[in-house]
Amino acid sequence: MLKNHLKVALRNLLKNRMFSVINLLGLAVGLAAFWMIGLFILDELTYDRFHEKSDRIYRVVHSANWDNGHFDLAITSAPFAPTLKKDYPEIQETVRFSPEGGGPIRVGDKQYTEKAICFTDANVFEVFDFPFLYGNPKTALSKPKSIVLTEGMAKKLFGDAKRALNQTVYLENNYENLVTGVIKDAPTHSHLHFKALRSLPADYTDGWQNFSIYTYILLKPHTHVASLEKKLTRFFPDHLQKEMGNVDYKLHLQPLTDIHLYSHLDYEISANGDVKYIVVFSIIAVLILLIAAINYMNLSTAHSALRVREVGVRKAIGSDRNQLVSLFLAESIILTLAASLLGILIVELGLPFFNDFSGKELSLWQLGVLPTLALLLVFCLIMGGLSGSYPAFFLSGFRTIPALKGQLGNTATNKRFRQSLVVFQFMVTISMLIGSAVIYQQMHYTSSKDLGFNRNQVLTFHVHKTEVRKQIPQLKDELLKNPLIEGVSAAGNPIGNNDLGGKGFYFENNGEISESSVITKRIDVDEDFLNTLEMKLVAGRNFDKSRKTDLYESVLVNETLVKKLGWKNPIGKRVEFNAGQNNEIRGHSQVVGVVKDFHVYSLQHTIEPLVMQMPLDFQQDNLYVRIRPENTQATLAYIEKVYQKFDPDHAFEYSFLDQNFAHQYEAEIKQGRLLVTFTLLTIFIACLGLFGLVTFTAEQRTKEIGIRKVLGASVTSIVGMISKDFMILIGIASLIAFPMAWYTMHRWLEDFAYRIELQGWVFLAAAGVALLIALITISTQAIRAALANPVKSLKSE
């Protein structure tokens, strides 16, 4: 029986080649898209789960709220780790990571600049599983000036990973580090990305409020996390309250496996994903698969008129309904199996492009060959059953005598079912078109919005050597000799990189200095910073290097700080801060100017209170250079030549300020690209089904079209007659899609502090695009039918 079913199924598929090809292609593309999205989601869900103790590893994060501000930080300060281990016996180990260990790295005459180098504690390999290739994990970072390289970094520096062991590398300022180990490259699904790990200096004990380090804890087995978090409420009054004053402070334990998808704090160690995108792409994957299955159902039920007599004959000679159902399901499963094989080929060919879009390193066989094939087989059975179930039960349900006469029964019900499937397909398609358009608009808005300064034609680069930093005034003068350079400024961390520092300040209010400090964004700048970036002063004056009191005794603040503190006359207000290595000195300064608000981060962040200081020792380590737009390459060559004159030991590496800000939107841009890609695939699959339905409709109405042509109907009127019903269905799909898309995109835009408004024309344009694409698809067959010879049409039987 099974052999007979397979033979008949193959014959029917070959007999109706066009419908078989449409179904095959639609299912193959749908399966390929589903498989790629599945690989993407699997990779996102498995972040950091490769660590054996991942269920006991937590990251320490904290938040605070006070009258004039708040913070939600992924970073802590150096004393957190040893203090937590000392105070709470439930904690087995603590490990700190500081991403400040990068910079130039030299071996012999080879020199590279590598930012992805972290300082960490010696016990890091007791907590995290980064497999060693060479060296001893227990002692690798136990001594100062030790470094562990990843396999890729070791090969880059020494050509062979094994040769790297016990070699010396030189970091910034010729600081020697001995290579004590080589580990495998960190997996892509790790939120910790690094090329090397350096031993954290033993005296790394900055003050409690110098938040710059990531703290992880390993809990002892069977520790009750909720109970421990209750005990942690004592941490603030015991250690931080003296410095921070009375604020609403909370210390949180964040599960390691939650960081990538659920954490969106300030100063994340790497760009995280978002569980919302996982949900969205899961829904998209299912919808694409459903649309592919709907195509099969639609074409099979539409094609039922050609098989109704076959069903009648089979029933007349003794076939029962179960046998007919199994026959039609066999056809569906064979087609799905063929589509799966084609889908595998599409995935294999498409994954390199998909990886470029998504920033992943996915592989078709990353689950293993046998598990993948087994999963694919199960998938074929389920998908074949799903897509073939309705046609099978529909076709097998014809009564014998009416079927022998070619009577379909209640064709109105059948037609309504097909129409509802078309509506569903285009509802999904239009929703995805709207989503793609809104994401594009928001990304364009973020790249063109006025940030409060001119980010165009400004490049930044790091000054490595301390000796060179002390010569920055001379370096600036040398650069300004070139007429193509309009301005040069020295400052601290480059804005736009999401790593601007914060500091506790005491502000004057009502004639008195506040008793508790307020954590405020802070940046060191020189007197040329405002002019170079074309920022505006709204009150007071700029820094003046001729006034010695401006060095750490004067500050600039932004408008947001003035508003939050309620200052009506900010000029002259006193600002105090803790200084010195152990915060033993109280610094005194006053506000000399107010800067118009400007963005230091992406538009996902609101503008926060900011203090700008002019440091005493000229230790700013980043230069901002504004260049003219003409002859950019020559200008860059000149800047490099000047920099090499001051620092011949380090390569000149720069980035443009607008690129720094664009980097903040990488995740959204990637998600947008993926959505556009899958939107195009959805349109393609939906149009395949529409093409098949129109072809079948034209075939069914061959005589009617012939009669209409004989009676004088034009080609345009016949095309309109065939197209009208489908256009109405797409119109209905648009009306259903609009509120769904509006709600979804409104929620997505809420992640941006500064965002576009949803506009009605975008919705109408998306519906118009869907209508146009559908009309083109329909017209290809409708015109063909309208142009056919009416004599042949009337003679056809």
Side-chain angles (χ1 to χ4, degrees):
M1 180 66 71
L2 179 61
K3 185 178 179 181
N4 177 262
H5 281 352
L6 292 175
K7 279 184 179 180
V8 173
L10 284 170
R11 284 172 186 166
N12 275 308
L13 292 173
L14 292 172
K15 181 181 176 182
N16 302 293
R17 286 186 180 86
M18 190 187 74
F19 290 98
S20 298
V21 168
I22 290 174
N23 276 326
L24 179 68
L25 196 55
L27 283 172
V29 173
L31 290 170
F34 182 85
W35 201 264
M36 284 192 282
I37 295 175
L39 291 173
F40 174 86
I41 291 171
L42 179 66
D43 185 80
E44 289 284 294
L45 293 176
T46 55
Y47 258 71
D48 295 307
R49 296 183 187 275
F50 60 90
H51 298 292
E52 184 181 346
K53 307 181 187 80
S54 61
D55 60 327
R56 293 194 283 132
I57 302 173
Y58 291 78
R59 185 172 69 175
V60 179
V61 299
H62 54 158
S63 61
N65 290 281
W66 57 91
D67 289 342
N68 297 310
H70 73 282
F71 67 67
D72 294 284
L73 300 178
I75 49 176
T76 58
S77 55
F80 272 65
T83 307
L84 284 166
K85 188 175 181 181
K86 176 185 173 184
D87 289 359
Y88 302 95
E90 296 92 338
I91 298 174
Q92 182 175 323
E93 296 288 350
T94 60
V95 175
R96 294 168 293 181
F97 280 90
S98 172
E100 298 298 321
I105 181 167
R106 179 171 58 84
V107 175
D109 58 353
K110 292 182 181 178
Q111 180 170 301
Y112 306 93
T113 297
E114 184 55 68
K115 296 180 180 178
I117 300 177
C118 294
F119 286 114
T120 188
D121 288 305
N123 63 340
V124 60
F125 303 111
E126 296 177 29
V127 177
F128 296 94
D129 292 310
F130 297 112
F132 264 70
L133 298 174
Y134 309 104
N136 186 343
K138 293 183 179 179
T139 59
L141 294 176
S142 59
K143 295 180 180 179
K145 299 184 179 181
S146 299
I147 188 169
V148 172
L149 304 178
T150 60
E151 184 179 13
M153 191 65 184
K155 288 180 178 178
K156 182 178 178 179
L157 294 175
F158 297 97
D160 179 75
K162 190 173 184 179
R163 282 182 52 205
L165 197 64
N166 297 320
Q167 298 289 328
T168 299
V169 298
Y170 296 88
L171 287 99
E172 191 166 354
N173 295 319
N174 286 325
Y175 191 83
E176 291 185 10
N177 270 233
L178 182 67
V179 179
T180 54
V182 178
I183 60 176
K184 288 186 177 180
D185 292 341
T188 55
H189 51 282
S190 168
H191 86 285
L192 293 168
H193 302 288
F194 54 84
K195 297 294 181 67
L197 296 172
R198 298 171 63 184
S199 53
L200 192 70
D203 59 349
Y204 198 90
T205 53
D206 281 351
W208 280 103
Q209 289 193 71
N210 291 334
F211 302 133
S212 62
I213 202 164
Y214 299 87
T215 302
Y216 297 82
I217 63 172
L218 174 67
L219 300 183
K220 292 179 179 178
H222 313 300
T223 297
H224 192 258
V225 179
S227 299
L228 175 58
E229 285 196 313
K230 286 182 180 179
K231 293 183 181 180
L232 289 175
T233 55
R234 289 297 316 160
F235 190 82
F236 176 72
D238 289 347
H239 304 290
L240 285 163
Q241 191 167 18
K242 183 178 179 180
E243 288 192 21
M244 294 183 66
N246 295 318
V247 299
D248 180 16
Y249 180 90
K250 291 181 181 177
L251 195 67
H252 310 276
L253 298 183
Q254 193 176 57
L256 177 70
T257 52
D258 283 359
I259 292 173
H260 179 66
L261 290 179
Y262 295 93
S263 183
H264 306 287
L265 304 175
D266 290 336
Y267 304 107
E268 291 287 352
I269 197 168
S270 61
N272 286 339
D274 194 323
V275 72
K276 289 188 291 187
Y277 287 120
I278 299 302
V279 174
V280 169
F281 283 117
S282 298
I283 293 171
I284 288 173
V286 172
L287 290 176
I288 287 176
L289 209 57
L290 279 176
I291 288 173
I294 284 169
N295 274 354
Y296 185 89
M297 293 181 191
N298 240 340
L299 292 175
S300 296
T301 52
H303 213 239
S304 58
L306 302 179
R307 303 193 67 177
V308 64
R309 286 190 174 87
E310 177 193 343
V311 172
V313 170
R314 287 182 176 277
K315 284 195 169 186
I317 61 176
S319 293
D320 60 23
R321 186 168 188 179
N322 289 336
Q323 289 174 323
L324 290 171
V325 167
S326 63
L327 170 64
F328 295 127
L329 284 177
E331 286 185 22
S332 175
I333 291 171
I334 289 172
L335 188 68
T336 307
L337 186 60
S340 297
L341 296 175
L342 180 57
I344 287 176
L345 180 62
I346 294 173
V347 171
E348 191 67 28
L349 295 174
L351 264 182
F353 303 100
F354 184 77
N355 284 336
D356 285 343
F357 278 167
S358 62
K360 300 285 186 182
E361 295 179 7
L362 305 177
S363 166
L364 173 63
W365 310 104
Q366 66 188 59
L367 295 177
V369 176
L370 289 178
T372 300
L373 291 175
L375 190 61
L376 196 62
L377 181 60
V378 172
F379 186 74
C380 285
L381 294 173
I382 294 173
M383 186 62 185
L386 173 68
S387 57
S389 57
Y390 181 80
F393 286 103
F394 174 76
L395 291 170
S396 64
F398 294 145
R399 295 169 59 190
T400 306
I401 302 302
L404 287 170
K405 293 179 179 179
Q407 296 174 357
L408 292 173
N410 191 351
T411 56
T413 302
N414 181 19
K415 184 178 178 181
R416 280 195 296 272
F417 177 74
R418 292 203 309 274
Q419 289 174 337
S420 64
L421 295 180
V422 171
V423 168
F424 176 79
Q425 283 182 308
F426 277 90
M427 175 196 72
V428 173
T429 301
I430 293 165
S431 297
M432 292 175 69
L433 277 171
I434 293 169
S436 300
V438 171
I439 290 174
Y440 171 81
Q441 281 188 305
Q442 178 63 23
M443 292 301 100
H444 180 265
Y445 174 75
T446 58
S447 65
S448 59
K449 183 183 182 295
D450 179 16
L451 299 180
F453 64 93
N454 185 358
R455 59 185 152 178
N456 298 318
Q457 296 299 122
V458 177
L459 63 91
T460 68
F461 62 89
H462 186 66
V463 180
H464 297 285
K465 282 187 174 181
T466 303
E467 295 81 4
V468 179
R469 294 172 193 169
K470 292 178 180 178
Q471 296 178 311
I472 278 181
Q474 293 87 342
L475 176 57
K476 289 170 59 178
D477 289 341
E478 193 71 24
L479 289 171
L480 287 169
K481 289 179 181 179
N482 189 321
L484 293 175
I485 295 177
E486 297 181 333
V488 184
S489 169
N493 291 343
I495 58 178
N497 281 355
N498 204 26
D499 58 358
L500 203 64
K503 188 177 180 67
F505 288 92
Y506 303 84
F507 296 103
E508 177 187 350
N509 238 327
N510 299 321
E512 299 291 335
I513 289 289
S514 59
E515 294 183 1
S516 59
S517 66
V518 177
I519 302 296
T520 305
K521 300 295 180 188
R522 169 186 172 274
I523 183 171
D524 288 336
V525 302
D526 67 8
E527 70 281 358
D528 295 314
F529 187 76
L530 299 188
N531 292 332
T532 300
L533 293 186
E534 298 179 7
M535 295 177 176
K536 296 178 182 178
L537 277 170
V538 295
R541 63 173 177 84
N542 189 10
F543 290 130
D544 184 348
K545 64 181 179 181
S546 65
R547 301 190 188 197
K548 292 185 178 180
T549 55
D550 275 4
L551 299 177
Y552 248 93
E553 292 184 23
S554 299
V555 297
L556 300 176
V557 298
N558 66 352
E559 292 175 297
T560 297
L561 178 64
V562 173
K563 291 173 186 174
K564 285 216 167 188
L565 294 176
W567 285 343
K568 292 183 178 179
N569 299 301
I571 306 304
K573 292 289 186 183
R574 289 177 293 155
V575 179
E576 296 184 4
F577 50 90
N578 294 323
Q581 187 172 359
N582 296 309
N583 292 327
E584 72 279 7
I585 304 171
R586 177 63 72 93
H588 302 269
S589 58
Q590 65 176 359
V591 176
V592 297
V594 179
V595 181
K596 183 178 174 61
D597 277 342
F598 64 94
H599 291 268
V600 295
Y601 299 140
S602 66
L603 297 188
Q604 289 152 316
H605 303 269
T606 56
I607 294 176
E608 297 185 61
L610 176 71
V611 172
M612 304 166 76
Q613 292 181 292
M614 193 175 179
L616 186 64
D617 51 8
F618 296 102
Q619 288 300 295
Q620 303 104 313
D621 55 1
N622 288 278
L623 252 63
Y624 293 70
V625 183
R626 175 172 295 284
I627 64 176
R628 296 180 64 85
E630 60 267 20
N631 211 351
T632 301
Q633 291 304 316
T635 309
L636 292 175
Y638 176 81
I639 297 171
E640 180 177 12
K641 182 180 177 181
V642 171
Y643 181 70
Q644 292 290 319
K645 178 181 174 182
F646 283 82
D647 185 1
D649 297 330
H650 294 102
F652 172 66
E653 296 184 339
Y654 65 91
S655 64
F656 279 95
L657 205 54
D658 54 355
Q659 293 173 342
N660 291 351
F661 278 88
H663 181 71
Q664 300 296 310
Y665 306 110
E666 275 189 1
E668 286 75 18
I669 291 170
K670 286 175 183 176
Q671 310 299 348
R673 287 174 180 168
L674 291 176
L675 182 59
V676 169
T677 302
F678 293 121
T679 299
L680 294 175
L681 289 177
T682 304
I683 292 171
F684 175 75
I685 297 169
C687 287
L688 271 179
L690 199 59
F691 180 84
L693 280 177
V694 172
T695 303
F696 179 77
T697 301
E699 286 180 0
Q700 290 293 95
R701 302 176 73 171
T702 299
K703 279 192 170 63
E704 178 190 347
I705 293 170
I707 293 169
R708 287 180 179 274
K709 287 196 73 176
V710 169
L711 294 175
S714 65
V715 173
T716 305
S717 65
I718 292 173
V719 171
M721 175 192 72
I722 297 174
S723 306
K724 182 183 68 175
D725 290 345
F726 291 104
M727 293 295 101
I728 292 172
L729 295 178
I730 294 170
I732 294 170
S734 301
L735 295 176
I736 299 172
F738 288 169
M740 293 173 54
W742 183 90
Y743 175 78
T744 304
M745 297 320 298
H746 180 75
R747 293 292 302 272
W748 182 77
L749 288 169
E750 286 178 349
D751 287 340
F752 293 84
Y754 304 90
R755 51 187 177 263
I756 62 169
E757 294 293 330
L758 290 174
Q759 296 172 309
W761 71 263
V762 174
F763 292 73
L764 295 175
V769 169
L771 280 167
L772 180 62
I773 293 171
L775 186 60
I776 292 170
T777 304
I778 293 167
S779 297
T780 56
Q781 286 301 95
I783 293 172
R784 182 183 171 191
L787 292 174
N789 189 334
V791 176
K792 289 183 179 180
S793 301
L794 293 172
K795 287 169 67 177
S796 67
E797 190 60 56

